[in-house]
Amino acid sequence: MTTLFYRLTTDGQQLPAALDDAFSGPVASACWLIGGGPSLAELPHRLIDESPVPKMSVNLSGTRILRPNFWTSYDPSARFHRSVYLDPGILKFVHRRRAMDLVPETTYKVCECPGTYFFERDGQRGFHQFLSPTFTGIVDWADSMVQAIDILYRLGFRTIYLAGCEMRVRLSDAQLQCAAAAGIEAAPGELLRDFLGRAEQAGVDCDTFDALPAGPHYHFDEQKHVRAAANTDAHYFRIAQYLRLSRRSLALAGLRLISVTPGSRLNDYFPYRTVEEACGQIAQVVGDPRTEPVRGLYRQMDARQPAEVGPMRDFKPHNWKAPRVAQVEKPVPADGELVVEAEGYQQAAGNARQAAQQRLRGALDAVGDAEPALQEMG
C-alpha cells in the first residue's frame, strides 16, 4: 500500500509517514472542520474548543478563537502564521511544492517544522470518485476546505462538523441600505456577483459600495473589496455545488458532513445541527470530560463494562490462518497486583478470578489449535 503522507528534508529526502486511518476507531471518529466565516465568532466556540474530538483549521480560520489540532492550506505559505508552522501540537498537511517555502518571519523551511506532512495533489478527480482510499494524492479542486475533507477522510475520520463555513460572502448593512435606496434588494440565495450586476444597472457601482463600511467577511481582521468579495462568493457557491454533486461518493465512503453553521449554503444539501446538539452527539459516543467522575477510580480493579451489556467472549475468525504472535505474560505477584497509584502491592480481590480466566483462555486456545488435527482424524 502506497503511503499518502510523508515528511521531507531540506535536501529533498522523502520519509514515509503511516498516517492513513491512524485516527479511525471502533465507531465513526469525528472532527470539527473550522472555516473562516464571521459566524464562528457568534457560535459557542468554547464548546467546540472543549469537546473531546480534534479540530482542523484551514488557512487563517480559528485565529484568536481556538487552537486547532490539524491544519491545512492551499495558498502560499507567506499568507499564514509562524505560530502555526512552529507549533509541535498542530499536525500540518501541505502540498510538497510548499516544502521549501520560508516560514514567515524566520529563516526556516516549511519542511523543517515539527509535525508537518506533505502530499501529492490529484487534479483529475471526478465527483463519483471524490473519496477513495486507493488514490495516491489529495483531491485538487482548488479549495482548502475540500482538501481538508479529503485529508480528514484519509486520516480515518468519518463524521465532520463544519463550523464557520457559511460558503457565502454578504455585503454590510450600510452597503445593503445603499442598494435598497436605489430599489435593489438581495434575493434569497442570490450570488453576490448577480446582485452587484443588478445594482450597477440601477446606478450603484462597486466603487460606491467600496466607499462604505464593509464586512465582516471573516471572523478575523480581514476584508475584501467588493469585486474580490464577489469572486470569493462565486468560488464558495461552486464548492457548495461540488459537494452537493459528491453526496453519493460521500455516502459510499461512509463520511458524514454535518453543518453547524447557521445560514450556510451547505444547509440546503447536508444535515444541520446546532453546536450544542453536535457536542451532545459527541459526548454520547466519546464521553463528556466535563462530567466524568474521578473519585474512586484509582481504587477500581474490575473492568467497567456497561451494566446492560451481556456476556462477551473473544473468538478467532473462522479458519483463521494468521501466524501466532508470541506473547509474554506478565506474572501476577503472589501477594497481589502492583498498582502504582496504590504505592505498592495491593491485594486485589479479582486476582484469583483473573488467573483463572487466563488458564481458561489458554485451554480454549489449545483446543482451537488441536481442532484441525482432530478433523483430519475423522
Side-chain angles (χ1 to χ4, degrees), residues 32-37 39-40 43 48 61 161-166 258-261 275:
W32 299 95
L33 180 50
I34 309 300
S39 70
L40 187 65
L43 292 176
I48 296 175
S61 64
Y161 295 100
L162 304 166
C165 299
E166 282 92 325
I258 300 175
S259 171
V260 299
T261 306
V275 169

Side-chain angles (χ1 to χ4, degrees), residues 12-41:
Q13 294 185 65
Q14 184 170 310
L15 310 174
L19 294 179
D20 296 58
D21 293 328
F23 296 89
S24 63
V27 294
S29 297
C31 186
W32 299 95
L33 180 50
I34 309 300
S39 70
L40 187 65

Side-chain angles (χ1 to χ4, degrees), residues 3 5 12 17 30 37 80 92 113 149 165 216 227 241 260 267 273 297 318:
T3 300
F5 303 108
F80 308 116
K92 295 157 283 284
C113 295
I149 291 171
C165 299
R227 290 184 180 87
Q241 302 311 306
V260 299
N267 296 355
R273 302 285 186 272
L297 290 187
H318 186 60

Side-chain angles (χ1 to χ4, degrees), residues 63-319:
T63 300
R64 308 284 192 275
I65 291 181
L66 50 80
R67 201 74 178 154
N69 306 98
F70 309 117
W71 179 85
T72 192
S73 69
Y74 193 92
D75 292 346
S77 305
R79 296 186 173 188
F80 308 116
H81 290 139
R82 175 182 64 177
S83 65
V84 169
Y85 290 109
L86 296 180
D87 185 345
I90 300 176
L91 296 189
K92 295 157 283 284
F93 298 89
V94 292
H95 184 250
R96 69 172 299 141
R97 69 184 297 181
R98 310 295 183 202
M100 297 303 167
D101 288 356
L102 285 176
V103 175
E105 303 158 5
T106 79
T107 59
Y108 311 131
K109 298 291 190 179
V110 168
C111 65
E112 295 182 274
C113 295
T116 302
Y117 299 93
F118 299 91
F119 56 82
E120 307 295 337
R121 285 191 181 130
D122 178 6
Q124 303 297 317
R125 194 88 59 87
F127 299 136
H128 71 293
Q129 301 169 314
F130 174 34
L131 298 179
S132 171
T134 62
F135 291 110
T136 57
I138 293 297
V139 64
D140 184 358
W141 288 348
D143 182 75
S144 297
M145 190 181 82
V146 169
Q147 177 174 289
I149 291 171
D150 196 13
I151 290 171
L152 288 175
Y153 172 74
R154 294 302 295 262
L155 292 176
F157 294 99
R158 292 298 180 266
T159 302
I160 300 177
Y161 295 100
L162 304 166
C165 299
E166 282 92 325
M167 307 301 290
R168 69 172 78 241
V169 180
R170 292 186 173 92
L171 295 180
S172 67
D173 290 341
Q175 291 168 330
L176 291 174
Q177 290 170 6
C178 177
I184 304 300
E185 300 284 347
E190 183 179 20
L191 270 68
L192 181 54
R193 182 181 295 171
D194 296 337
F195 176 81
L196 294 177
R198 293 195 297 114
E200 187 170 8
Q201 291 178 354
V204 184
D205 60 16
C206 290
D207 291 336
T208 302
F209 286 126
D210 281 333
L212 298 169
H217 296 150
Y218 303 99
H219 64 262
F220 44 84
D221 184 20
E222 182 63 287
Q223 63 183 35
K224 298 173 179 284
H225 293 294
V226 169
R227 290 184 180 87
N231 291 335
T232 301
D233 181 71
H235 171 80
Y236 289 157
F237 176 78
R238 175 173 63 86
I239 296 303
Q241 302 311 306
Y242 278 8
L243 293 175
R244 173 181 64 86
L245 295 168
S246 301
R247 285 179 295 187
R248 183 171 182 270
S249 176
L250 292 166
L252 288 173
L255 181 67
R256 295 192 306 157
L257 295 182
I258 300 175
S259 171
V260 299
T261 306
S264 171
R265 278 196 172 113
L266 294 175
N267 296 355
D268 290 341
Y269 318 120
F270 295 94
Y272 171 77
R273 302 285 186 272
T274 65
V275 169
E276 291 83 357
E277 290 171 336
C279 288
Q281 292 175 339
I282 292 169
Q284 187 174 10
V285 174
V286 180
D288 188 349
R290 299 171 303 175
T291 61
E292 288 177 310
V294 174
R295 183 176 292 275
L297 290 187
Y298 280 167
R299 298 186 296 274
Q300 181 71 32
M301 297 300 297
D302 295 328
R304 294 157 60 201
Q305 181 176 316
E308 66 276 11
V309 174
M312 297 185 297
R313 180 190 296 177
D314 294 344
F315 290 95
K316 296 178 181 178
H318 186 60
N319 292 329

